[in-house]
């Protein structure tokens, strides 16, 4: 199973960017998103180091909420 994670763009040097999620920053590739459709502060879905789509902040928060619940459940099952 492949999982993308939402991240917020904090710096752009197209076609690369620095994105942040939960205090962790990563260099990501923006080549799948046209340069004129992305800006600092936008949220993107990142899969295997590449931004695959721009998403809303609300969607990003909902996804992280679901991922946090899943991780908590997995911790309970293995702990």
């Amino acid at each position: 199973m492949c999982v993308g994670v939402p991240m917020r763009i904090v710096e752009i040097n197209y076609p690369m960017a620095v994105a942040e999620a939960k205090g962790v920053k990563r260099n990501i590739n923006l080549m799948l998103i046209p340069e004129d459709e992305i800006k600092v502060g936008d949220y993107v879905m990142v899969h295997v180091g590449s931004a695959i789509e721009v998403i809303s902040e609300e969607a990003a928060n909902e996804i992280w909420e679901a991922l946090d619940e899943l991780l908590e459940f997995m911790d309970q099952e293995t702990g």
Side-chain angles (χ1 to χ4, degrees):
M1 177 174 78
C2 298
V3 176
V5 294
M7 300 186 83
R8 185 177 58 85
I9 302 293
V10 295
E11 179 182 321
I12 296 176
N13 187 13
Y14 199 86
M16 300 301 291
V18 176
E20 183 270 333
K22 296 198 171 265
V24 177
K25 292 182 180 178
R26 293 284 184 259
N27 292 317
I28 64 167
N29 187 307
L30 296 175
M31 291 189 74
L32 297 174
I33 300 174
E35 186 173 7
D36 62 344
E37 293 182 18
I38 191 82
K39 65 185 181 311
V40 171
D42 283 348
Y43 286 80
V44 292
M45 182 61 73
V46 178
H47 176 66
V48 193
S50 292
I52 58 174
E53 70 176 313
V54 177
I55 61 174
S56 69
E57 181 178 2
E58 180 181 274
N61 290 334
E62 288 174 4
I63 293 165
W64 271 115
E65 203 173 291
L67 288 172
D68 287 341
E69 287 176 18
L70 177 62
L71 291 172
E72 184 180 325
F73 176 76
M74 290 173 66
D75 281 346
Q76 291 172 358
E77 291 294 308
T78 59

